[in-house]
Amino acid sequence: MSANAIAAVTAALRNLLSDGVKVEAGLEDTIVTTLPMDRARDASGSGNQLNVFLYQTTPNAAWRNLSMPGQVQSLESGFPPLALNLYYLITAWGRDNDAQSPFSHFLLGRAMSVMHDHPLLGSDEIRLALPGNDAYLQMERIRFSLQPLSVEDIFKLWSGFQTQYRLSASYEASVVLIESARSARTPLPVLMRGTGDTGPVALARLDPGLPTLQSITPPNQQSGAQIGDVVTIAGTLLAGDKVEVVFAHPALQNPIRVPAGQGATATRIDVQLDTAQFAWVAGWYAVTVEITSTPDQPNPPVHSTNALPMALAPTITSPMPLKATIANGAATVKLKCSPDVQPVQRVALLLGDQEIAGARSANATGSLSFPVPQAVAGTYLVRLRVDGVDSLLVDRSVKPPVFRNQKVVFK
């Protein structure tokens, strides 16, 4: 439906009231207008009059995420239409401004009776109300329902137009659908679903039947891996003629692909994070495994597993403890780290329980500097945080775990 659907509904409501009210004896001279409330009744007006004013539009919650009926087929993704509820104020003025008889009461009563007996707009009523509209084509019927207003709402509505209150009734029209100008995604039909077009086959088994990752475990129960560590990837159906572990990071233009070693099995792959062959960055990685059967054939099928997160922690490579001199209450902590911090990465120094954000560098760098505006003399445990991943402060290779010698001394 086009954008003139709102105007078409307003015109159809005006015609409905005009035709329904004038059949009543004594109301044959009634006119129906669609003007703002402050302009609906001029000083010279003295006849019976109804005014239909659209005072509010709100989104329709039920249709907010639905595709336009009849336009989007199954498995296609169309952009939802603009679904609106319209709120109208119907105001009545009587003949001679009710000087001889309360015609406005009579007129409003007849109008509300018409709305009560005719709660749905027919397609022909909408089509004939406004030339060129296509609102009558929508599959959802447009329904009117009485919406009582509180005294406070009435005061706000009329005072906003700086005009005197007149006898009125409010109605909701639901729902008006305006078609989105964005096109739907229409994938090509499927030629065959499996061998012989049999479709999917259900198997009675506990594993999912597809290559699946279950866990990624750094050594020594660490919270994250470090450069040089061997991480263990556990899953099912991970064996193949060619198996690669894919590490994707937002700061890397291309993901890192590490071939599975000789000891890889269908349920376990051990991968070393080696810097000799690959340029790693600290932060969170999305890890998948790609399995290729018959890689020597043209266009071999590649099966990819689900993705699991892995944290690669930065390492402070400067000799410990770090030392910083306090001057005028401030100090600067300088350190070196591995791997280099990329320009797009957020870096911070965790000094005890205080986070000190570092400035972004224009180039990748392993030398960082952190100004500490209110430094206090003492020794503090320190961590480096890159994109939400902290350098490993706890040594879990011993029992019980201990803090590493990762400190800064302020003097």
Side-chain angles (χ1 to χ4, degrees):
M1 314 309 84
S2 57
N4 63 359
I6 298 177
V9 173
T10 302
L13 176 57
R14 177 195 59 199
N15 295 347
L16 173 65
L17 292 174
S18 180
D19 296 340
V21 169
K22 289 181 180 180
V23 299
E24 186 78 24
L27 302 179
E28 300 87 346
D29 62 336
T30 300
I31 62 172
V32 181
T33 57
T34 57
L35 297 171
M37 293 186 294
D38 57 333
R39 295 172 47 202
R41 184 76 161 184
D42 56 28
S44 61
S46 60
N48 290 323
Q49 179 184 353
L50 282 176
N51 186 68
V52 178
F53 174 59
L54 176 63
Y55 68 90
Q56 188 179 25
T57 61
T58 62
N60 183 280
W63 280 88
R64 202 158 196 168
N65 296 314
L66 296 179
S67 299
M68 182 68 81
Q71 296 186 10
V72 179
Q73 300 181 9
S74 176
L75 302 181
E76 294 182 354
S77 56
F79 202 73
L82 175 61
L84 298 174
N85 294 339
L86 311 181
Y87 293 87
Y88 291 95
L89 193 69
I90 301 176
T91 306
W93 285 270
R95 186 181 301 128
D96 298 328
N97 294 320
D98 294 342
Q100 304 297 326
S101 180
F103 277 101
S104 63
H105 297 197
F106 183 19
L107 182 57
L108 185 63
R110 178 55 188 168
M112 295 181 69
S113 177
V114 171
M115 299 292 290
H116 177 76
D117 293 339
H118 201 105
L120 293 174
L121 281 180
S123 59
D124 287 341
E125 293 174 318
I126 301 175
R127 179 174 59 85
L128 298 175
L130 186 68
N133 87 86
D134 58 356
Y136 67 95
L137 296 175
Q138 78 172 41
M139 299 179 64
E140 184 77 6
R141 299 285 298 275
I142 297 176
R143 176 182 295 272
F144 293 108
S145 57
L146 181 63
Q147 296 289 312
L149 297 177
S150 66
V151 175
E152 182 180 2
D153 291 336
I154 292 173
F155 173 79
K156 291 179 179 179
L157 191 60
W158 284 87
S159 61
F161 283 86
Q162 298 182 358
T163 186
Q164 294 180 342
Y165 171 75
R166 292 293 182 267
L167 189 59
S168 304
S170 176
Y171 284 84
E172 177 193 63
S174 178
V175 56
V176 177
L177 304 178
I178 299 178
E179 182 180 351
S180 173
R182 299 179 61 174
S183 58
R185 297 184 60 187
T186 56
L188 295 174
V190 177
L191 294 178
M192 296 181 63
R193 294 169 293 180
T195 304
D197 199 21
T198 58
V201 178
L203 300 177
R205 52 194 300 175
L206 295 178
D207 61 77
L210 295 172
T212 304
L213 297 187
Q214 297 175 341
S215 65
I216 299 178
T217 307
N220 301 320
Q221 298 181 341
Q222 298 169 172
S223 59
Q226 289 180 303
I227 295 297
D229 284 347
V230 176
V231 296
T232 300
I233 300 175
T236 58
L237 304 178
L238 302 180
D241 296 330
K242 179 183 177 182
V243 180
E244 286 184 324
V245 183
V246 182
F247 297 85
H249 190 284
L252 296 177
Q253 185 175 2
N254 297 309
I256 296 175
R257 297 177 175 271
V258 181
Q262 295 294 331
T265 66
T267 59
R268 173 170 173 162
I269 300 174
D270 292 332
V271 178
Q272 184 175 21
L273 309 183
D274 186 9
T275 57
Q277 296 180 343
F278 308 104
W280 299 89
V281 296
W284 287 98
Y285 286 80
V287 182
T288 58
V289 175
E290 292 187 357
I291 303 159
T292 306
S293 300
T294 61
D296 297 333
Q297 296 183 1
N299 300 320
V302 179
H303 300 283
S304 181
T305 67
N306 57 307
L308 290 181
M310 186 197 77
L312 180 58
T315 302
I316 301 177
T317 58
S318 299
M320 290 293 172
L322 301 173
K323 296 180 180 180
T325 302
I326 301 175
N328 299 324
T332 300
V333 177
K334 297 181 179 181
L335 58 85
K336 294 184 180 298
C337 68
S338 176
D340 288 352
V341 177
Q342 303 301 308
V344 296
Q345 293 188 290
R346 184 182 185 276
V347 62
L349 183 71
L350 305 185
L351 188 63
D353 59 355
Q354 181 183 5
E355 181 184 30
I356 302 172
R360 293 183 185 271
S361 174
N363 302 300
T365 179
S367 299
L368 303 175
S369 179
F370 299 91
V372 182
Q374 297 179 349
V376 179
T379 302
Y380 301 87
L381 292 171
V382 66
R383 292 161 288 165
L384 179 64
R385 173 172 292 178
V386 179
D387 281 349
V389 179
D390 299 347
S391 59
L392 301 182
L393 181 62
V394 179
D395 185 359
R396 299 187 181 277
S397 62
V398 297
K399 301 296 182 182
V402 296
F403 286 117
R404 301 176 189 266
N405 183 27
Q406 200 165 290
K407 302 176 180 179
V408 60
V409 178
F410 290 102
K411 292 183 178 180

